[in-house]
Amino acid sequence: MVRVQGVVAGAYEMLRTLNITYEIKGKRMHSRAGLTEARLDCDLLINLREIAEFESDGYRLLTRQR
């Protein structure tokens, strides 16, 4: 289980976790993921550590608005 805290003071949720491996732009990443029923409007949400790891290897991740 992992505790996820949002922007509302005192609000949090305990999430079940699982280990996943995914690949983006040819780089394979291993991560612990929290399972949620929240509607986040995305397929995969990665953390800042994973973004920094991509960038340290010379990758550049871009976002786009829908």
Side-chain angles (χ1 to χ4, degrees):
M1 300 285 280
V2 64
R3 179 181 163 138
V4 177
Q5 188 168 327
V7 296
V8 177
Y12 70 91
E13 184 177 358
M14 296 300 292
L15 300 178
R16 292 178 295 146
T17 61
L18 72 148
N19 294 318
I20 62 170
T21 300
Y22 61 92
E23 190 170 330
I24 298 176
K25 295 187 173 185
K27 180 167 179 60
R28 185 168 296 205
M29 299 289 288
H30 304 283
S31 184
R32 186 173 73 155
L35 300 174
T36 180
E37 298 292 325
R39 304 251 188 255
L40 301 174
D41 197 29
C42 63
D43 296 323
L44 178 66
L45 184 63
I46 64 176
N47 63 39
L48 292 175
R49 179 193 57 79
E50 292 167 337
I51 292 171
E53 188 174 330
F54 270 104
E55 291 176 344
S56 71
D57 287 344
Y59 290 92
R60 184 171 174 209
L61 296 179
L62 302 174
T63 62
R64 63 176 173 214
Q65 294 181 351
R66 293 182 179 186

